[in-house]
Amino acid sequence: MAARIWLCWLPCGLAKIGWPLGWPTSLEFLSKGSDAEFFEFVNPLADMTELSYTATWGTYYKPSAQNQSVEGWRRMWPEANPVEGGMRALTFVQERSGRGVVVFRGTDLDSSGTSGQADACANAELAHAPLPGYCNQFTSFQLDYVSRALDIARKAAEVHPTVEWLYTGHSLGAELANVVGAVRGAAVLGFAAPAVLPVLRDRTAVDPHQLPFWKSLSLYNELDPLRFQALGQLPGANCSWVNQPDVPSCDVCELHGKIDEGSPECKQCFYKTHILKSYLALLRSGQRPVCPDAELGDYLVV
Ligand SMILES: *[C@@H]1O[C@H](CO)[C@@H](O)[C@H](O)[C@H]1NC(C)=O
Ligand SMILES: *[C@@H]1O[C@H](CO)[C@@H](O)[C@H](O)[C@H]1NC(C)=O
C-alpha cells in the first residue's frame, strides 16, 4: 500500500485529482473506465458507508470505530448522531482534492432499540405506511429524515465552503443521498438504493428528468430484492454485480415480479444480498459490476 502511494506520488496523484479540484462532473467513468479507477473511487466510499453504521449509535456501533476515518480523508464536523434516535450521517473531507463526502446511514434492522425504532418509523413515514405504536416516543422533526439529511448537507457546505460534495450511503442511506444530491445538484454514489423517484416527487420540487444521468450512480447486487423494487425508480444510472452464486430464496422471492417483503424467502434473500456486508464482500472480490446500456436497458458486458 505504502509503496503504491509512493510510486504514484506525483503523476498518479495529479491525474487522479485532476483540475479543477472537486468531483468529476460525470460518473460515467465508473462504467467505462478501468478496474483500478472503479475501485479507487468506490472503495473509500464503501469504507465511509461502513463507518456510517459502526461509528454511530445503534446495533452496529463499535467503540473502536467511533473516531475512525478512511485513509486519505479526515472525519470532520458536522455529524448527525443523536443519542435519542434519528437520521445519522458523517462528514469526510479531503482538502488537497477539494472533495467532501456526506455519508448517510441505512436502516438499523434491530427495532428493539431506539436507533432501529426511529429508523423503522422514518421508513414507515417515507412509505406512507402505518406507524408502529412505539413511534410516539419521537417527534415529527426527528422522524423527518429527508429534512434532517438536507439540513446536515447544508450545514456541511456552510462549514466547508471550498469543498465540492458527493453524497453516499447504503439502502435508506442511499435513498437520502440521492434526494440530497438531486436537490443540491451534486454527485451521488449509492449502494443498494430503494426507489428514489417517489420520494423526490413527494418531498422536493426537483424534476428528475432534468437531472444529469451520470451524476448519480446506484450499485446493486443483481439479486438484491431492492434492485427489483427500484426498477425504473432511480434518477440516474445503475450497475450491478452479475453472475452471483445462485441464492434459492432470491429465485423464489423475485419470481413473480412484485416483491413481498414479508415472505420468508424475500427476508432470507434480503439478508443474503442486501445488507452492507454482502456489498463489501462484492467489492473485495475484485469483481466489477456491469452497467446496463441506458438505451437498451440491457447489460453491457465489457
Ligand atoms: C473519540 O473522541 C471523543 C472526543 O474526543 C472521546 O471522548 C472518545 O473517547 C473517543 N473514542 C475513542 C474510542 O477513542
Ligand atoms: C438500471 O438502468 C437501466 C437502463 O437505464 C434501467 O432500465 C433499469 O430500470 C435501471 N435499474 C433500476 C434499478 O432502476
Side-chain angles (χ1 to χ4, degrees), residues 61 63-67:
Y61 173 70
S64 62
Q66 191 184 2
N67 303 320

Side-chain angles (χ1 to χ4, degrees), residues 5-297:
I5 289 166
W6 171 245
L7 287 174
C8 271
W9 174 242
L10 244 183
C12 311
L14 283 179
K16 231 183 297 167
I17 291 163
W19 188 264
L21 297 180
W23 294 100
T25 48
S26 160
L27 297 179
E28 193 169 8
F29 73 96
L30 293 174
S31 163
K32 309 270 159 57
S34 70
D35 286 5
E37 278 176 290
F38 177 86
F39 289 110
E40 262 168 42
F41 192 89
V42 175
N43 281 338
L45 300 175
D47 292 343
M48 293 173 195
T49 301
E50 185 175 19
L51 282 178
S52 73
Y53 283 98
T54 55
T56 61
W57 305 123
T59 309
Y60 315 106
Y61 173 70
K62 281 192 208 150
S64 62
Q66 191 184 2
N67 303 320
Q68 215 176 307
S69 191
V70 169
E71 196 186 328
W73 292 83
R74 279 176 68 195
R75 278 255 308 268
M76 297 192 113
W77 201 79
E79 295 189 353
N81 188 21
V83 183
E84 63 281 8
M87 197 282 301
R88 312 220 182 269
L90 304 176
T91 300
F92 295 83
V93 172
Q94 187 176 63
E95 278 106 347
R96 66 184 164 83
S97 66
R99 293 177 177 185
V101 177
V102 175
V103 55
F104 300 96
R105 192 189 74 177
T107 304
D108 183 339
L109 294 172
D110 179 353
S111 55
S112 66
T114 318
S115 151
Q117 288 180 355
D119 288 0
C121 301
N123 279 324
E125 286 215 329
L126 278 171
H128 303 294
L131 299 195
Y134 54 65
C135 297
N136 5 355
Q137 72 185 297
F138 305 110
T139 64
S140 49
F141 182 92
Q142 286 173 304
L143 296 187
D144 184 356
Y145 281 23
V146 169
S147 300
R148 301 294 71 76
L150 288 164
D151 283 351
I152 191 161
R154 192 183 318 115
K155 200 180 286 175
E158 279 165 16
V159 176
H160 309 282
T162 59
V163 158
E164 191 185 333
W165 298 94
L166 177 146
Y167 302 103
T168 191
H170 165 257
S171 196
L172 165 65
E175 187 168 43
L176 296 172
N178 265 287
V179 173
V180 170
V183 169
R184 302 188 62 88
V188 178
L189 192 284
F191 300 94
V196 173
L197 294 188
V199 183
L200 280 184
R201 269 195 301 270
D202 276 10
R203 298 297 313 273
T204 75
V206 172
D207 175 2
H209 301 292
Q210 302 300 315
L211 298 172
F213 187 69
W214 283 105
K215 195 90 183 175
S216 157
L217 178 62
S218 302
L219 301 181
Y220 292 100
N221 179 337
E222 66 168 337
L223 303 176
D224 187 335
L226 272 276
R227 182 172 84 84
F228 289 83
Q229 279 185 337
L231 276 178
Q233 299 291 326
L234 297 173
N238 67 85
C239 309
S240 296
W241 278 273
V242 296
N243 302 322
Q244 293 307 302
D246 199 34
V247 179
S249 53
C250 295
D251 292 346
V252 178
C253 170
E254 287 147 14
L255 193 59
H256 301 295
K258 182 131 175 62
I259 303 287
D260 172 10
E261 287 169 61
S263 79
E265 288 84 9
C266 286
K267 279 189 179 154
Q268 206 181 79
C269 172
F270 180 92
Y271 276 98
K272 291 215 151 112
T273 62
H274 176 73
I275 59 171
L276 181 64
K277 216 189 223 172
S278 91
Y279 280 82
L280 298 176
L282 286 169
L283 283 166
R284 273 194 302 269
S285 77
Q287 253 196 80
R288 175 86 173 272
V290 293
C291 313
D293 185 279
E295 268 87 34
L296 301 175

